[in-house]
Amino acid sequence: MRELPPLNALLAFEFVARTGSVRAAAESMSVTPGAVSRQIRLLEEHFGTALFQRQGRGLILTLPGNAYFQQISVHFEGLRRAGQVLQRNAGRAVIRLHSFTTFATRWLIPRLAKFQMAYPDIDVRLTTASEWDDDMDCDAAIRLGNGEWPQRHATALVKNVLMPVCRPTEGRKANRDLDGLSQHTLLMVRGRPDDWQLWCSAFGIDMNTLPHRREMESSALAYQAALEGQGIALAQRVLVEDELRSGSLIAMDNYQLDCGSLTYYLVWNKDSPKESTLMRLEAWLTTPL
């Protein structure tokens, strides 16, 4: 394999090819025009061909020179972009955080926005999905469970209180009990298939007496369907508090199920090299707004 040409010569060639001027290249490289010319000659000797020809007071590329410039210019531009990214991120700690989509949009993102303003030296890069993926590559994650994951640090973020919610109508406002539940469509969530069964068991209801069901891709879609009057969603109270305050959703307040330790946790590996940074994020997320 033939050796690469001298890197200083390559840099001089790229500057002159881009500007058409030895003097401009010399100023950019903080050297003399003579030094740039020597580097160009060195490169031409390396390849055994002329790369430039004079045109008036400037230089233009020869056909071989132009072909070579077209191939290497994209790499120089990539190096410049990489340097800009590195400079922007210099001194900033990065946390790659993964979360469930609905939890992120309704609870996490407003808190992260304020965290980023309070800690500009920490860059939180958030990814989301409707269901958990064990192969997710991240520094920390928002997970739903009982808080027990081997070799993981886990801190509960919210209370997980489940309750049926729906769009308010005169009939629903007056009758928020179990008697009429079988007349309505239950909005099931694919990623949380056991929620309705858990709630029904807690209040002594046979799921078989509730035949009208519709499966939704995510909790966010179930809440939206409830807002549009398409059925009753079993909501996590902390995620629909705005709608409950505004009255766009009403809840069966007498039938709230506190799931105890089964809730959302901030989780990361116990041996994480970013532990001190993650602890700052944890402290922020566990402090009430």
Side-chain angles (χ1 to χ4, degrees), residues 75-145:
H75 302 295
F76 273 92
E77 184 58 30
L79 288 170
R80 290 190 179 96
R81 286 198 302 270
Q84 290 169 356
V85 171
L86 181 61
Q87 192 171 34
R88 284 198 302 269
N89 291 334
R92 300 185 74 194
V94 174
I95 297 176
R96 297 170 302 152
L97 179 63
H98 185 70
S99 173
F100 293 106
T101 303
T102 304
F103 189 83
T105 56
R106 288 179 166 263
W107 190 89
L108 181 61
I109 288 176
R111 287 161 175 80
L112 284 184
K114 294 181 180 180
F115 177 80
Q116 296 279 214
M117 289 188 288
Y119 296 99
D121 59 320
I122 300 177
D123 182 10
V124 180
R125 300 177 184 177
L126 178 65
T127 58
T128 65
S130 296
E131 299 182 29
W132 175 253
D133 181 359
D134 285 327
D135 295 325
M136 178 58 59
D137 182 20
C138 56
D139 299 311
I142 308 296
R143 299 190 63 172
L144 179 65

Coordinates of all heavy atoms in Angstrom, one line a residue, residues 75-145:
H75 N -13.8 14.8 2.7 CA -13.2 14.4 3.9 C -12.7 15.5 4.8 O -12.8 15.5 6.0 CB -12.0 13.4 3.6 CG -12.5 12.2 2.8 ND1 -13.3 11.2 3.3 CD2 -12.2 11.8 1.6 CE1 -13.5 10.3 2.4 NE2 -12.8 10.6 1.3
F76 N -12.2 16.5 4.1 CA -11.8 17.8 4.8 C -13.0 18.4 5.4 O -12.9 18.9 6.6 CB -11.0 18.7 3.9 CG -9.6 18.5 3.8 CD1 -9.1 17.6 2.8 CD2 -8.7 19.0 4.7 CE1 -7.7 17.4 2.7 CE2 -7.3 18.8 4.6 CZ -6.8 18.0 3.6
E77 N -14.1 18.5 4.7 CA -15.3 19.1 5.2 C -15.8 18.3 6.4 O -16.3 18.8 7.4 CB -16.4 19.1 4.1 CG -17.7 19.8 4.6 CD -17.4 21.3 5.0 OE1 -16.5 21.9 4.5 OE2 -18.2 21.7 5.9
G78 N -15.7 16.9 6.3 CA -16.1 16.1 7.5 C -15.3 16.4 8.7 O -15.8 16.4 9.8
L79 N -14.0 16.6 8.5 CA -13.1 16.9 9.6 C -13.5 18.2 10.2 O -13.4 18.4 11.5 CB -11.6 16.9 9.1 CG -11.0 15.6 8.8 CD1 -9.7 15.8 8.1 CD2 -10.8 14.7 10.0
R80 N -13.8 19.2 9.4 CA -14.2 20.5 9.9 C -15.5 20.4 10.8 O -15.6 21.0 11.8 CB -14.4 21.5 8.8 CG -13.1 21.9 8.1 CD -13.2 23.1 7.2 NE -12.0 23.4 6.6 CZ -11.5 23.0 5.4 NH1 -12.3 22.2 4.7 NH2 -10.3 23.4 4.9
R81 N -16.5 19.7 10.2 CA -17.7 19.5 11.0 C -17.5 18.8 12.3 O -18.1 19.2 13.3 CB -18.8 18.7 10.1 CG -19.4 19.6 9.0 CD -20.6 18.9 8.5 NE -20.4 17.6 8.0 CZ -20.1 17.2 6.8 NH1 -19.9 18.2 5.8 NH2 -19.9 16.0 6.4
A82 N -16.7 17.7 12.2 CA -16.4 17.0 13.5 C -15.7 17.9 14.5 O -16.0 17.8 15.7 CB -15.5 15.8 13.2
G83 N -14.8 18.8 14.0 CA -14.2 19.7 14.9 C -15.1 20.7 15.6 O -15.0 21.0 16.7
Q84 N -16.1 21.1 14.8 CA -17.1 22.1 15.3 C -18.0 21.4 16.4 O -18.3 22.0 17.4 CB -18.0 22.6 14.1 CG -17.3 23.5 13.2 CD -18.1 23.7 11.9 OE1 -19.2 23.2 11.7 NE2 -17.5 24.6 11.0
V85 N -18.4 20.1 16.1 CA -19.2 19.4 17.1 C -18.4 19.2 18.4 O -18.9 19.4 19.5 CB -19.6 18.0 16.5 CG1 -20.2 17.2 17.6 CG2 -20.6 18.3 15.4
L86 N -17.1 18.8 18.2 CA -16.2 18.6 19.4 C -16.1 19.9 20.2 O -16.1 19.9 21.4 CB -14.9 18.1 18.9 CG -13.9 17.8 20.1 CD1 -14.4 16.7 21.0 CD2 -12.5 17.4 19.5
Q87 N -15.9 21.0 19.5 CA -15.7 22.3 20.2 C -17.0 22.7 20.9 O -16.9 23.2 22.0 CB -15.4 23.4 19.1 CG -14.9 24.7 19.8 CD -14.4 25.6 18.7 OE1 -14.8 25.7 17.6 NE2 -13.3 26.4 19.1
R88 N -18.2 22.5 20.3 CA -19.4 22.8 20.9 C -19.6 22.0 22.2 O -20.2 22.5 23.2 CB -20.6 22.6 20.0 CG -20.8 23.6 18.9 CD -22.2 23.6 18.3 NE -22.5 22.3 17.8 CZ -22.3 22.0 16.5 NH1 -21.7 22.8 15.7 NH2 -22.6 20.7 16.1
N89 N -19.2 20.7 22.1 CA -19.5 19.8 23.3 C -18.3 19.7 24.3 O -18.4 19.0 25.2 CB -19.8 18.4 22.7 CG -21.1 18.3 22.0 OD1 -22.0 19.1 22.3 ND2 -21.2 17.4 21.1
A90 N -17.3 20.5 24.0 CA -16.1 20.4 24.9 C -16.5 20.8 26.3 O -17.2 21.8 26.5 CB -15.0 21.3 24.4
G91 N -16.2 20.0 27.2 CA -16.5 20.3 28.6 C -17.9 19.9 29.1 O -18.3 20.1 30.2
R92 N -18.7 19.4 28.1 CA -20.1 19.1 28.5 C -20.2 17.5 28.7 O -19.7 16.8 27.9 CB -21.1 19.5 27.4 CG -21.1 20.9 27.1 CD -22.2 21.3 26.0 NE -23.5 21.2 26.6 CZ -24.6 21.2 25.9 NH1 -24.5 21.2 24.6 NH2 -25.8 21.2 26.5
A93 N -20.9 17.2 29.8 CA -21.2 15.8 30.0 C -22.4 15.4 29.2 O -23.4 16.2 29.1 CB -21.4 15.6 31.5
V94 N -22.4 14.2 28.7 CA -23.5 13.7 27.9 C -24.2 12.6 28.6 O -23.6 11.6 29.1 CB -23.1 13.2 26.5 CG1 -24.2 12.6 25.7 CG2 -22.5 14.4 25.7
I95 N -25.6 12.7 28.7 CA -26.4 11.6 29.3 C -27.3 11.1 28.1 O -28.1 11.9 27.6 CB -27.2 12.0 30.5 CG1 -26.3 12.4 31.6 CG2 -28.2 10.9 30.9 CD1 -27.1 13.0 32.8
R96 N -27.2 9.9 27.8 CA -28.1 9.3 26.8 C -29.3 8.6 27.6 O -29.1 7.6 28.2 CB -27.4 8.2 25.9 CG -26.3 8.8 25.0 CD -25.5 7.8 24.4 NE -24.9 6.9 25.4 CZ -24.6 5.6 25.2 NH1 -24.9 5.0 24.0 NH2 -24.1 4.8 26.1
L97 N -30.4 9.2 27.5 CA -31.6 8.8 28.3 C -32.7 8.3 27.5 O -33.1 8.9 26.5 CB -32.1 10.1 29.1 CG -33.3 9.8 30.1 CD1 -33.0 8.8 31.2 CD2 -33.7 11.2 30.6
H98 N -33.2 7.1 27.9 CA -34.3 6.5 27.2 C -35.6 6.5 28.0 O -35.5 6.3 29.2 CB -33.9 5.1 26.7 CG -35.0 4.4 25.9 ND1 -35.2 4.8 24.6 CD2 -35.8 3.4 26.1 CE1 -36.2 4.1 24.1 NE2 -36.6 3.2 25.0
S99 N -36.7 6.7 27.4 CA -38.0 6.7 28.1 C -39.1 6.2 27.3 O -39.1 6.2 26.1 CB -38.3 8.2 28.6 OG -39.6 8.3 29.2
F100 N -40.2 5.8 28.0 CA -41.4 5.5 27.3 C -42.0 6.8 26.7 O -41.9 7.9 27.3 CB -42.5 4.9 28.3 CG -42.1 3.5 28.7 CD1 -41.6 3.4 30.0 CD2 -42.1 2.4 27.9 CE1 -41.2 2.1 30.5 CE2 -41.8 1.2 28.4 CZ -41.3 1.0 29.7
T101 N -42.6 6.7 25.5 CA -43.0 7.9 24.8 C -44.0 8.8 25.6 O -43.8 10.0 25.7 CB -43.6 7.6 23.5 OG1 -42.6 6.8 22.7 CG2 -44.0 8.8 22.7
T102 N -45.1 8.2 26.1 CA -46.1 8.9 26.8 C -45.5 9.6 28.1 O -45.8 10.8 28.3 CB -47.3 8.0 27.2 OG1 -47.8 7.4 26.0 CG2 -48.4 8.9 27.8
F103 N -44.8 8.9 28.8 CA -44.2 9.4 30.0 C -43.2 10.6 29.7 O -43.2 11.6 30.4 CB -43.4 8.3 30.8 CG -42.9 8.8 32.2 CD1 -43.8 8.7 33.2 CD2 -41.7 9.3 32.4 CE1 -43.4 9.1 34.5 CE2 -41.3 9.7 33.6 CZ -42.1 9.6 34.7
A104 N -42.5 10.5 28.6 CA -41.6 11.5 28.2 C -42.3 12.8 27.8 O -42.0 13.9 28.3 CB -40.7 11.1 27.0
T105 N -43.4 12.6 27.0 CA -44.1 13.8 26.5 C -44.9 14.5 27.6 O -45.0 15.7 27.6 CB -45.0 13.5 25.3 OG1 -45.9 12.4 25.7 CG2 -44.1 13.0 24.1
R106 N -45.5 13.7 28.5 CA -46.4 14.3 29.5 C -45.7 14.7 30.8 O -46.3 15.5 31.5 CB -47.6 13.4 29.7 CG -48.5 13.3 28.5 CD -49.7 12.3 28.7 NE -50.7 12.6 27.8 CZ -51.8 13.3 28.0 NH1 -52.0 13.9 29.1 NH2 -52.7 13.5 27.0
W107 N -44.6 14.1 31.1 CA -44.0 14.3 32.4 C -42.5 14.7 32.3 O -42.1 15.7 33.0 CB -44.1 13.1 33.3 CG -43.8 13.3 34.8 CD1 -44.6 13.7 35.8 CD2 -42.5 13.2 35.3 NE1 -43.9 13.9 36.9 CE2 -42.6 13.5 36.7 CE3 -41.2 12.8 34.9 CZ2 -41.5 13.5 37.6 CZ3 -40.1 12.8 35.7 CH2 -40.3 13.1 37.1
L108 N -41.8 14.0 31.5 CA -40.3 14.1 31.6 C -39.8 15.4 30.9 O -39.0 16.1 31.4 CB -39.7 12.9 31.0 CG -38.1 12.8 30.9 CD1 -37.6 12.9 32.4 CD2 -37.7 11.6 30.2
I109 N -40.3 15.6 29.6 CA -39.7 16.7 28.8 C -39.8 18.1 29.5 O -38.8 18.8 29.5 CB -40.3 16.7 27.4 CG1 -39.8 15.5 26.6 CG2 -40.0 18.0 26.7 CD1 -40.4 15.3 25.3
P110 N -40.9 18.5 30.1 CA -40.9 19.8 30.7 C -39.9 19.9 31.8 O -39.3 21.0 32.0 CB -42.4 19.8 31.4 CG -43.2 18.9 30.5 CD -42.2 17.8 30.1
R111 N -39.6 18.8 32.5 CA -38.6 18.8 33.6 C -37.2 18.9 33.0 O -36.3 19.5 33.6 CB -38.8 17.6 34.5 CG -40.0 17.8 35.4 CD -40.5 16.5 36.0 NE -41.6 16.7 36.9 CZ -42.8 16.9 36.6 NH1 -43.2 16.9 35.3 NH2 -43.8 17.1 37.5
L112 N -37.0 18.1 31.9 CA -35.7 18.2 31.3 C -35.4 19.5 30.7 O -34.2 20.0 30.7 CB -35.6 17.1 30.1 CG -35.5 15.7 30.5 CD1 -35.4 14.8 29.3 CD2 -34.3 15.4 31.4
A113 N -36.4 20.2 30.2 CA -36.1 21.6 29.6 C -35.6 22.5 30.7 O -34.6 23.2 30.5 CB -37.4 22.1 29.1
K114 N -36.1 22.4 31.9 CA -35.7 23.3 33.0 C -34.3 22.8 33.5 O -33.5 23.6 34.0 CB -36.7 23.3 34.1 CG -38.0 24.0 33.7 CD -39.0 24.0 34.8 CE -40.3 24.7 34.3 NZ -41.3 24.8 35.4
F115 N -34.1 21.5 33.5 CA -32.8 20.9 33.9 C -31.7 21.4 33.0 O -30.6 21.8 33.5 CB -32.9 19.4 33.9 CG -31.6 18.7 34.2 CD1 -31.2 18.5 35.6 CD2 -30.7 18.2 33.2 CE1 -30.0 17.9 35.9 CE2 -29.5 17.6 33.6 CZ -29.2 17.4 34.9
Q116 N -31.9 21.4 31.7 CA -30.9 21.9 30.8 C -30.6 23.3 31.0 O -29.4 23.7 30.8 CB -31.4 21.7 29.3 CG -31.6 20.2 28.9 CD -30.3 19.5 28.6 OE1 -30.3 18.6 27.7 NE2 -29.2 19.8 29.2
M117 N -31.6 24.2 31.4 CA -31.3 25.6 31.6 C -30.5 25.7 32.9 O -29.6 26.6 33.0 CB -32.6 26.4 31.7 CG -33.3 26.5 30.4 SD -34.7 27.7 30.4 CE -35.9 26.7 31.3
A118 N -30.8 24.8 33.9 CA -30.1 24.9 35.2 C -28.7 24.3 35.1 O -27.7 24.8 35.8 CB -30.9 24.2 36.3
Y119 N -28.5 23.4 34.2 CA -27.2 22.7 34.1 C -26.7 22.7 32.6 O -26.8 21.7 31.9 CB -27.2 21.3 34.6 CG -27.5 21.1 36.1 CD1 -28.8 20.9 36.5 CD2 -26.5 21.3 37.0 CE1 -29.1 20.8 37.9 CE2 -26.8 21.2 38.4 CZ -28.0 21.0 38.8 OH -28.3 20.9 40.1
P120 N -26.3 23.8 32.1 CA -25.9 23.9 30.7 C -24.7 23.0 30.3 O -24.4 22.8 29.2 CB -25.6 25.4 30.4 CG -25.3 25.9 31.8 CD -26.2 25.1 32.7
D121 N -24.0 22.6 31.4 CA -22.8 21.7 31.1 C -23.2 20.3 30.9 O -22.3 19.4 30.7 CB -21.8 21.9 32.3 CG -22.4 21.5 33.6 OD1 -23.6 21.8 33.9 OD2 -21.7 20.8 34.4
I122 N -24.5 19.9 31.1 CA -24.9 18.5 30.9 C -25.8 18.5 29.7 O -26.8 19.2 29.6 CB -25.6 18.0 32.1 CG1 -24.7 18.1 33.4 CG2 -26.1 16.6 31.9 CD1 -25.4 17.6 34.7
D123 N -25.5 17.6 28.8 CA -26.3 17.5 27.5 C -27.1 16.2 27.6 O -26.6 15.1 27.5 CB -25.4 17.4 26.3 CG -26.1 17.3 25.0 OD1 -27.3 17.4 25.0 OD2 -25.4 17.1 24.0
V124 N -28.4 16.3 27.8 CA -29.3 15.1 27.9 C -29.9 14.8 26.5 O -30.6 15.6 26.0 CB -30.4 15.3 28.9 CG1 -31.3 14.0 29.0 CG2 -29.9 15.6 30.3
R125 N -29.6 13.6 26.0 CA -30.0 13.2 24.7 C -31.1 12.2 24.9 O -30.8 11.0 25.2 CB -28.9 12.8 23.8 CG -27.8 13.9 23.7 CD -26.6 13.4 22.9 NE -25.6 14.5 22.8 CZ -24.4 14.4 22.3 NH1 -24.0 13.2 21.7 NH2 -23.6 15.4 22.3
L126 N -32.3 12.5 24.6 CA -33.5 11.7 24.9 C -33.9 10.9 23.7 O -34.1 11.4 22.6 CB -34.6 12.5 25.4 CG -35.9 11.8 25.8 CD1 -35.8 10.9 26.9 CD2 -37.0 12.9 26.1
T127 N -34.2 9.6 23.9 CA -34.8 8.8 22.9 C -36.0 8.1 23.6 O -36.1 8.0 24.8 CB -33.9 7.6 22.4 OG1 -33.5 6.8 23.5 CG2 -32.7 8.2 21.7
T128 N -37.1 7.8 22.8 CA -38.3 7.3 23.3 C -38.8 6.1 22.5 O -38.4 5.9 21.3 CB -39.4 8.3 23.3 OG1 -39.8 8.7 22.0 CG2 -39.0 9.6 24.1
A129 N -39.6 5.3 23.1 CA -40.3 4.2 22.4 C -41.5 3.8 23.2 O -41.6 4.1 24.4 CB -39.4 2.9 22.3
S130 N -42.5 3.2 22.6 CA -43.8 2.8 23.2 C -43.6 1.6 24.1 O -44.4 1.4 25.1 CB -44.9 2.6 22.2 OG -45.2 3.7 21.5
E131 N -42.6 0.8 23.8 CA -42.4 -0.4 24.6 C -40.9 -0.5 25.0 O -40.0 0.0 24.2 CB -42.8 -1.7 23.8 CG -44.3 -1.7 23.5 CD -44.8 -2.9 22.8 OE1 -44.1 -4.0 23.0 OE2 -45.7 -2.8 22.0
W132 N -40.6 -1.2 26.0 CA -39.2 -1.4 26.5 C -38.5 -2.3 25.6 O -39.0 -3.4 25.2 CB -39.2 -1.8 27.9 CG -37.7 -2.1 28.4 CD1 -37.2 -3.3 28.6 CD2 -36.7 -1.1 28.6 NE1 -35.8 -3.1 29.0 CE2 -35.5 -1.8 29.0 CE3 -36.7 0.3 28.6 CZ2 -34.4 -1.1 29.3 CZ3 -35.5 0.9 28.9 CH2 -34.4 0.2 29.2
D133 N -37.2 -2.0 25.3 CA -36.3 -2.9 24.6 C -35.1 -3.1 25.4 O -34.3 -2.2 25.7 CB -35.9 -2.1 23.2 CG -35.0 -3.0 22.4 OD1 -34.7 -4.1 22.8 OD2 -34.7 -2.5 21.3
D134 N -34.8 -4.4 25.7 CA -33.7 -4.8 26.6 C -32.3 -4.5 25.9 O -31.3 -4.4 26.5 CB -33.7 -6.2 26.9 CG -34.8 -6.5 28.0 OD1 -35.0 -5.6 28.9 OD2 -35.4 -7.6 28.0
D135 N -32.3 -4.3 24.6 CA -31.1 -4.1 23.8 C -30.8 -2.6 23.7 O -29.8 -2.2 23.0 CB -31.2 -4.7 22.4 CG -31.2 -6.2 22.5 OD1 -30.6 -6.8 23.4 OD2 -31.9 -6.8 21.6
M136 N -31.6 -1.7 24.3 CA -31.4 -0.3 24.2 C -30.1 0.1 24.8 O -29.7 -0.3 25.9 CB -32.5 0.4 24.9 CG -32.4 1.9 24.9 SD -32.3 2.7 23.2 CE -33.9 2.1 22.6
D137 N -29.3 0.8 24.0 CA -28.0 1.3 24.4 C -28.1 2.7 24.9 O -28.3 3.7 24.2 CB -27.0 1.3 23.2 CG -25.6 1.7 23.6 OD1 -25.3 1.7 24.8 OD2 -24.8 2.1 22.7
C138 N -28.0 2.9 26.2 CA -28.2 4.2 26.8 C -27.5 4.3 28.2 O -27.1 3.2 28.7 CB -29.7 4.5 27.0 SG -30.6 3.3 28.0
D139 N -27.3 5.5 28.7 CA -26.7 5.6 30.0 C -27.6 5.5 31.2 O -27.3 5.0 32.2 CB -26.0 7.0 30.1 CG -25.0 7.3 29.1 OD1 -24.1 6.4 28.9 OD2 -25.0 8.3 28.4
A140 N -28.9 5.8 30.9 CA -29.9 5.7 31.9 C -31.3 5.6 31.2 O -31.4 5.9 30.0 CB -30.0 6.9 32.9
A141 N -32.3 5.0 31.9 CA -33.6 4.8 31.3 C -34.7 5.0 32.3 O -34.5 4.9 33.5 CB -33.7 3.4 30.7
I142 N -35.8 5.4 31.8 CA -37.1 5.4 32.6 C -37.7 4.1 32.4 O -38.1 3.8 31.3 CB -38.0 6.6 32.2 CG1 -37.3 7.9 32.2 CG2 -39.2 6.6 33.1 CD1 -36.8 8.4 33.5
R143 N -37.8 3.3 33.5 CA -38.4 2.0 33.3 C -39.6 1.8 34.2 O -39.7 2.4 35.3 CB -37.4 0.9 33.6 CG -36.2 0.9 32.7 CD -35.3 -0.3 32.8 NE -36.0 -1.5 32.5 CZ -35.4 -2.7 32.4 NH1 -34.0 -2.8 32.6 NH2 -36.0 -3.8 32.1
L144 N -40.5 1.0 33.8 CA -41.7 0.7 34.6 C -41.5 -0.7 35.3 O -41.2 -1.7 34.6 CB -43.0 0.6 33.8 CG -44.3 0.3 34.5 CD1 -44.6 1.3 35.5 CD2 -45.4 0.1 33.4
G145 N -41.6 -0.8 36.6 CA -41.4 -2.0 37.3 C -41.5 -1.8 38.8 O -42.0 -0.8 39.3

